[in-house]
Amino acid sequence: MSELTKSTNVQSSLNKKTFVQRFKKNYIGWLFIALSVVGIGLFYFYPMVQAFLLSLKSGMGANLEFVGLENYARLFNDPTFISALTNTIIYLLVQVPIMIVLALFFSVLLNDATLKFKGFFRTAIFLPCVTSLVAYAVIFKYLFGVDGLVNKLLLNLHLISEPLNWLSDPVLAKITIIAAITWRWTGYNMIFYLSALQNVDKQMYEAARIDGASAIQQFFYITVPMLKPIILFTSIISTIGTLQLFDEVMNITAGGPGNATLSISMYIYNLSFEYTPDFGYAATVSYVIVILVVILSMIQFRVAGDKR
Amino acid sequence: MKKLKRVATYLFLSIAALVSIFPFLWMLVSMTNKSVDVTAGRLLPGTHLFENLKVLFGQVDIASAMWNSTIIAVITTFLTLLIGSLAGYGFEIYRTRGKDMIFNILLLSMMIPFAAIMIPLYRLFGRISGTAPFIGIDTLAAALLPTVITAFFIFFFRQNTKMFAKELVEAGRIDGLSELGIFFRIYVPTMKTTYAAAAIIAFMNSWNNYLWPLVVLQSPEKLTIPLLISNLGAGYSPDYGVIMTAIVIATLPTALVFFFMQKHFVAGMMGSVKG
């Protein structure tokens, strides 16, 4: 046998060995991820498909029959759904921008190296994040009660002459919900911006100052563009969170007065577990949230992408 | 002018800090006051704490709610870390094109709103109840199972595995460790801080979870802390002192975790964006 064939044989057996090894490694790799794949399939994707199939059915409790797109048509003539959708969009359009601007503002103030008590301010503003949503919702419900501390404070400052019905006036109740969510989540967003600001080159601000840029110009021409990816990230997180708003509404106003603060998630809950259960229609409403999440995330990506 | 700006900065941050802290102070103070004093706006500590505790423990079964929440949170945290880190490690160390594709599909599940899958999940557990009642509706197992495996933690562990020295895996193989042995004997001990950060986030999420337990747990003795607080808060003639006591007890575990492990807590939050 010539040297040549010998070496090819060695070569091919080597190849075979690495192939077997690679196959074995690859196969073990699948074992590492198997539980997660099965779990997410079972608890996320399978229910998503089920929810879609359910949304094509109607009936009470377990007696469901196929109705096609009837449930989707029903959405347009359902005043409760329309107020839940409107309320959720109002929360989104008012609360998310207020919170992001506040969080940005705090983070810029706190990013100043010469500031004293920085750690205290940062911890204090972040502190609301440790409370459970239910716990702080109950606290806000009492703070904003007719004889609550907010009214007492406003009366003492002579800003109002008689107590406001925060929780039973349609507009004030929405304001209460928005104030509560802003209290809970501003510090959370601020932490993201603070850590991103640490990566912004200080020399850019130095150069801008030398060029005579004001603090406001520095904010809009350096800070905001540099933080754009993280602002996009937080606004998507907040948007998804607000679309799923449930705990606060449930525990502060229970959706009232009337349906003035009802959120989509709470309506789904009511349709399934409070009223006579109509799982089919509830699933239809839930698909509205899915569609909104997808559309809004795409818009946010597009907007952030265009300005680059 | 510059001085004025300084003063404005401090004033602004002080107001923000006060607004952020005030509800905490209020609940701590109110816990020691009578309900009428809380309504009257008393902001000084009182002497009613013992009384409030007595009424609370007599009125509701807060001890078993604490127990249920603790059991659920501890098991959830353990399983989340185990399964999530196995997957994060698997996706990064045994990286192939096929697995990357699966990974991206799993990430999509982060966009799925819980409200959208709540009803099918409820029906799924309803069906399970028939054959396996111990994990069916109204069991602690049902309350925690769907929350254990999330794309967030898989993503989190994968991001952190990128910083894990892969030579250690080779070294382990040469030393004759099995692949699982490498994971448990080398990876887990070197990634302690990653696990700490993930544990905090998982524990907090589980401890504060409300909607799914509300749907799936029904009997009074199975209630978790958020469900109990919610029930107390929904009462028509609330005893404010007692409810505030309950809220303080409910907030204590997460507040302690936060104060003692603030660094890990923030690291956990950031872990989702870096890389």
Side-chain angles (χ1 to χ4, degrees), chain A residues 15-279:
Chain A
N15 273 344
K16 209 169 178 181
K17 198 177 163 210
T18 49
F19 176 77
V20 170
Q21 246 178 5
R22 279 227 328 257
F23 176 78
K24 209 177 136 203
K25 259 176 66 186
N26 190 10
Y27 162 80
I28 290 169
W30 285 104
L31 291 181
F32 273 88
I33 64 176
L35 255 176
S36 290
V37 173
V38 171
I40 289 183
L42 182 64
F43 293 128
Y44 286 87
F45 292 117
Y46 169 73
M48 274 303 278
V49 175
Q50 285 290 312
F52 181 69
L53 295 177
L54 258 178
S55 77
L56 304 175
K57 294 176 186 169
S58 186
M60 281 175 210
N63 304 317
L64 294 164
E65 55 182 75
F66 186 80
V67 294
L69 295 174
E70 215 171 81
N71 282 331
Y72 288 89
R74 183 175 156 190
L75 288 174
F76 295 96
N77 300 313
D78 176 357
T80 315
F81 167 72
I82 290 171
S83 31
L85 179 66
T86 321
N87 295 338
T88 306
I89 290 175
I90 291 173
Y91 295 140
L92 202 65
L93 291 180
V94 179
Q95 195 271 329
V96 176
I98 290 179
M99 177 181 67
I100 287 179
V101 169
L102 264 180
L104 264 176
F105 190 51
F106 291 148
S107 60
V108 170
L109 291 184
L110 285 175
N111 196 41
D112 182 344
T114 58
L115 191 82
K116 288 195 180 80
F117 312 116
K118 210 188 319 188
F120 165 75
F121 287 128
R122 193 182 50 218
T123 306
I125 297 172
F126 185 63
L127 200 57
C129 285
V130 309
T131 62
S132 86
L133 300 185
V134 173
Y136 96 84
V138 172
I139 289 178
F140 267 73
K141 177 179 160 180
Y142 296 152
L143 283 175
F144 282 84
V146 176
D147 51 6
L149 284 176
V150 171
N151 270 337
K152 289 205 172 71
L153 176 74
L154 294 176
L155 282 170
N156 283 335
L157 293 172
H158 297 288
L159 290 171
I160 53 173
S161 52
E162 51 186 281
L164 293 175
N165 276 318
W166 286 102
L167 303 179
S168 47
D169 175 272
V171 176
L172 293 178
K174 280 195 195 78
I175 293 177
T176 306
I177 302 274
I178 288 170
I181 308 171
T182 308
W183 178 81
R184 173 66 167 72
W185 293 103
T186 301
Y188 178 83
N189 288 290
M190 178 192 78
I191 294 292
F192 283 102
Y193 302 149
L194 261 179
S195 99
L197 276 174
Q198 255 137 44
N199 301 328
V200 177
D201 193 351
K202 301 265 181 312
Q203 289 178 336
M204 284 173 76
Y205 290 103
E206 202 57 52
R209 245 194 312 266
I210 292 166
D211 286 347
S214 71
I216 293 166
Q217 282 171 324
Q218 286 174 35
F219 179 77
F220 282 107
Y221 292 108
I222 301 177
T223 310
V224 173
M226 291 304 287
L227 293 192
K228 199 188 270 167
I230 196 83
I231 293 174
L232 175 69
F233 173 81
T234 53
S235 54
I236 289 176
I237 295 276
S238 306
T239 302
I240 296 178
T242 309
L243 285 174
Q244 303 194 53
L245 186 66
F246 177 81
D247 301 18
E248 289 89 341
V249 178
M250 180 81 170
N251 287 294
I252 297 178
T253 60
N259 288 320
T261 56
L262 189 74
S263 69
I264 305 180
S265 284
M266 201 176 156
Y267 187 42
I268 297 169
Y269 177 81
N270 287 346
L271 280 172
S272 317
F273 303 108
E274 290 290 307
Y275 315 149
T276 332
D278 187 346
F279 290 133

Side-chain angles (χ1 to χ4, degrees), chain B residues 6-271:
Chain B
R6 238 313 101 112
V7 171
T9 302
Y10 279 113
L11 190 70
F12 200 82
L13 286 174
S14 302
I15 292 172
L18 182 69
V19 170
S20 298
I21 297 176
F22 180 76
F24 290 93
L25 294 177
W26 187 56
M27 77 185 189
L28 283 173
V29 165
S30 301
M31 161 169 104
T32 66
N33 281 319
K34 278 188 206 158
S35 191
V36 280
D37 291 333
V38 177
T39 325
R42 184 183 160 99
L43 292 176
L44 293 169
T47 53
H48 216 63
L49 173 62
F50 187 68
E51 195 64 25
N52 284 337
L53 280 169
K54 218 167 79 184
V55 174
L56 177 67
F57 277 85
Q59 193 180 33
V60 290
D61 198 354
I62 193 165
S64 71
M66 283 296 264
W67 174 248
N68 293 338
S69 278
T70 309
I71 285 288
I72 292 178
V74 168
I75 296 178
T76 303
T77 307
F78 175 75
L79 290 178
T80 301
L81 261 56
L82 178 69
I83 298 171
S85 65
L86 275 171
Y89 177 86
F91 277 119
E92 188 60 28
I93 300 292
Y94 305 100
R95 191 170 177 185
T96 58
R97 197 180 291 169
K99 287 196 200 76
D100 275 356
M101 218 168 75
I102 300 279
F103 180 74
N104 288 330
I105 294 172
L106 293 191
L107 280 192
L108 277 182
S109 72
M110 285 210 271
M111 299 273 276
I112 296 178
F114 184 73
I117 54 174
M118 168 176 87
I119 300 156
L121 277 178
Y122 178 74
R123 286 160 52 95
L124 175 71
F125 279 95
R127 280 205 302 277
I128 294 175
S129 293
T131 47
F134 51 97
I135 52 167
I137 300 287
D138 204 25
T139 61
L140 298 188
L144 69 85
L145 271 177
T147 65
V148 160
I149 303 173
T150 57
F152 171 81
F153 285 100
I154 300 170
F155 179 68
F156 178 79
F157 276 104
R158 182 174 188 174
Q159 289 303 100
N160 282 283
T161 306
K162 286 187 200 295
M163 273 161 284
F164 171 72
K166 301 196 175 55
E167 303 82 64
L168 290 176
V169 177
E170 276 313 317
R173 280 183 191 139
I174 291 164
D175 285 352
L177 280 173
S178 69
E179 297 294 309
L180 213 57
I182 295 170
F183 176 80
F184 282 111
R185 300 245 190 106
I186 301 177
Y187 177 81
V188 175
T190 42
M191 302 298 279
K192 266 193 207 122
T193 49
T194 302
Y195 277 95
I200 291 168
I201 303 289
F203 183 87
M204 289 231 182
N205 284 348
S206 174
W207 185 266
N208 293 334
N209 196 7
Y210 175 59
L211 180 51
W212 177 241
L214 176 69
V215 167
V216 86
L217 297 176
Q218 284 142 2
S219 27
E221 74 273 10
K222 301 258 169 66
L223 293 190
T224 60
I225 284 287
L227 297 179
L228 184 111
I229 302 281
S230 175
N231 287 350
L232 279 173
Y236 274 108
S237 50
D239 184 325
Y240 295 110
V242 171
I243 295 174
M244 289 304 173
T245 311
I247 291 180
V248 171
I249 294 176
T251 312
L252 221 52
T254 48
L256 287 178
V257 167
F258 172 72
F259 276 113
F260 288 110
M261 307 177 87
Q262 210 185 127
K263 236 193 206 127
H264 290 306
F265 188 91
V266 173
M269 273 176 60
M270 291 301 141

